[in-house]
């Protein structure tokens, strides 16, 4: 009965966690999308005006243009290419979901962030309840992983191995498997999809899973690359399990 209750609890927790992220993503999208569209249109108009008069602009006007351009880029608006970019939103659903995940996991890349007052206040409350929920969720996933560890240990113990040696071996196995599954293999994947070097992939994976999250490398962000749909969702799932693995590693 206890086992069954535990499974039910885990199921509810996982469901609750994902519903929390999905609802958060929907709210962020609703609050931020219109403001972003206005920002994009303003940037496009600014570029248009610059291209029309750039032959006889004063130094001050050019400096002002560069200032505005830098600000637009920092806000994730790239006034490059044609009008189609106005339609591609940084706040489409997969981006919003990815953003919600980076908030509760405290990675916080800083490349996508709420700019409206409503979005910012919502972000405060979303994080306030989301971060503890994330910790509980990771702890539960970690527990499930550590049960695998125990099974492995039990198997080795029955084969007549000493307890200390088993502890060392399971830790080693866990470390090696984790490094392979969460750092080495994803880096090959990032190398292919993002065009990064292998060492940049390793660097990105580590900076993300350690929740440092500088934001100098972020997946799915390059304007000139074609990503498959659900790419960022897949990365978000990798992050979740990677975080659970690291939490368990500290536990062990």
């Amino acid at each position: 009965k206890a086992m069954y209750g535990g499974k039910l609890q885990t199921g509810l927790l996982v469901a609750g966690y994902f519903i929390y992220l999905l609802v958060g993503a929907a709210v962020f999208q609703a609050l931020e999308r219109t403001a972003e569209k206005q920002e994009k249109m303003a940037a496009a108009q600014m570029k248009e005006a610059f291209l029309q008069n750039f032959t006889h602009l004063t130094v001050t006007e050019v400096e002002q243009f560069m200032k505005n351009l830098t600000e637009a880029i920092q806000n994730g608006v790239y006034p490059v290419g044609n009008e189609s970019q106005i339609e591609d939103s940084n706040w489409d659903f997969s981006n919003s979901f990815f953003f919600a995940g980076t908030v509760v996991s405290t990675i916080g890349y800083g490349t996508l962030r709420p700019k409206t007052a409503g979005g910012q206040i919502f972000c405060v409350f979303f994080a306030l309840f989301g971060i503890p929920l994330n910790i509980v969720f990771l702890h539960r996933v970690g527990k499930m992983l550590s049960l695998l560890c125990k099974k492995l240990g039990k198997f080795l113990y029955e084969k007549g191995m000493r307890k200390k040696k088993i502890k060392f071996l399971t830790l080693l196995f866990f470390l090696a498997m984790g490094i392979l599954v969460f750092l080495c293999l994803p880096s090959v994947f990032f190398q292919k999809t993002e065009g990064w070097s292998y060492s940049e992939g390793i660097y990105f994976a580590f900076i993300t899973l350690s929740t440092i999250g500088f934001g100098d490398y972020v997946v799915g962000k390059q304007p000139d690359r074609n990503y498959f749909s659900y790419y960022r969702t897949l990365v978000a799932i990798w992050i979740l399990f990677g975080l659970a693995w690291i939490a368990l590693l500290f536990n062990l």
Side-chain angles (χ1 to χ4, degrees):
K1 183 141 190 162
M3 187 71 198
Y4 175 72
K7 273 189 174 155
L8 185 70
Q9 258 182 340
T10 304
L12 286 173
L13 180 67
V14 171
Y17 180 75
F18 279 101
I19 289 167
Y20 189 79
L21 286 184
L22 289 168
V23 171
V27 176
F28 280 120
Q29 188 182 18
L31 291 171
E32 293 294 321
R33 214 172 178 163
T34 339
E36 184 206 32
K37 200 164 189 176
Q38 286 165 347
E39 216 170 291
K40 285 196 164 178
M41 282 158 86
Q45 281 162 358
M46 176 186 80
K47 178 185 165 188
E48 210 45 54
F50 176 77
L51 290 177
Q52 275 163 10
N53 328 320
F54 75 96
T55 43
H56 42 255
L57 285 178
T58 64
V59 174
T60 332
E61 285 172 324
V62 173
E63 299 237 303
Q64 186 56 47
F65 171 76
M66 284 162 80
K67 220 165 130 186
N68 294 346
L69 184 65
T70 312
E71 205 173 291
I73 288 170
Q74 280 171 344
N75 287 335
V77 177
Y78 300 95
V80 182
N82 53 6
E83 295 301 300
S84 75
Q85 288 230 266
I86 292 181
E87 291 313 303
D88 296 338
S89 173
N90 282 325
W91 291 101
D92 62 18
F93 199 77
S94 99
N95 279 345
S96 300
F97 183 76
F98 188 76
F99 171 73
T102 60
V103 169
V104 297
S105 58
T106 73
I107 294 168
Y109 289 122
T111 44
L112 191 60
R113 51 200 185 276
K115 297 182 198 73
T116 64
Q120 289 172 346
I121 295 299
F122 176 70
C123 190
V124 169
F125 286 101
F126 181 72
L128 205 59
F129 296 101
I131 292 168
L133 176 64
N134 183 62
I135 291 169
V136 172
F137 173 77
L138 291 181
H139 183 71
R140 183 53 65 104
V141 176
K143 244 187 180 161
M144 283 155 73
L145 289 173
S146 70
L147 283 177
L148 288 175
C149 255
K150 279 202 179 107
K151 275 184 181 158
L152 182 75
K154 207 174 164 188
F155 172 75
L156 292 174
Y157 187 66
E158 280 163 6
K159 288 271 173 284
M161 204 181 275
R162 286 207 320 279
K163 276 210 164 144
K164 264 198 173 145
K165 199 177 178 187
I166 291 174
K167 248 189 173 149
F168 175 71
L169 277 179
T170 40
L171 188 63
L172 195 70
F173 169 76
F174 222 78
L175 196 63
M177 279 304 286
I179 287 171
L180 185 70
V181 172
F182 293 112
L183 293 177
C184 301
L185 291 176
S187 301
V188 175
F189 177 67
F190 295 134
Q191 199 179 0
K192 295 258 188 299
T193 322
E194 296 286 346
W196 296 339
S197 69
Y198 188 70
S199 62
E200 284 173 320
I202 292 273
Y203 169 76
F204 164 75
F206 180 80
I207 293 295
T208 295
L209 294 185
S210 59
T211 74
I212 295 169
F214 287 131
D216 46 358
Y217 291 85
V218 180
V219 290
K221 266 280 166 252
Q222 298 175 62
D224 50 353
R225 289 189 89 86
N226 280 331
Y227 300 103
F228 60 92
S229 57
Y230 302 121
Y231 170 54
R232 296 192 85 178
T233 312
L234 204 67
V235 175
I237 291 166
W238 161 74
I239 290 173
L240 282 180
F241 282 99
L243 291 175
W245 167 66
I246 282 186
L248 179 65
L249 211 58
F250 290 146
N251 267 344
L252 286 176

